[in-house]
Amino acid sequence: MGEGMVDALLSNLMKWFHKKGVTLINGVKEFVEITDKGLTIITGEGKKQIIEADSIVTALPLTPE
């Protein structure tokens, strides 16, 4: 996680995530959809999972869709 980030920034970010109780999910195969319930993903094990959220902010890709 955080591939390509400067180590100092990644370390601070991970500490902040931990402090805020952010759940990190590694190895997501696919982002399926955003609904009023949250974000639906396919996990690394191939299972569909809904991450409940009232707001979703995408970071990548850096191109409009």
Side-chain angles (χ1 to χ4, degrees):
M1 223 174 260
E3 183 179 335
M5 287 187 72
V6 175
D7 288 339
L9 293 176
L10 179 59
S11 176
N12 287 335
L13 182 61
M14 291 300 167
K15 287 177 190 173
W16 185 83
F17 283 161
H18 179 73
K19 181 179 175 181
K20 295 295 182 178
V22 174
T23 300
L24 302 174
I25 301 172
N26 219 0
V28 172
K29 287 190 176 184
E30 182 180 351
F31 299 99
V32 178
E33 65 180 340
I34 297 172
T35 68
D36 58 349
K37 292 183 181 182
L39 174 65
T40 304
I41 64 168
I42 303 296
T43 67
E45 294 79 31
K47 297 179 181 177
K48 187 182 268 190
Q49 178 181 343
I50 296 176
I51 303 168
E52 293 184 15
D54 57 6
S55 298
I56 307 275
V57 177
T58 60
L60 295 173
L62 298 176
T63 57
E65 187 176 303

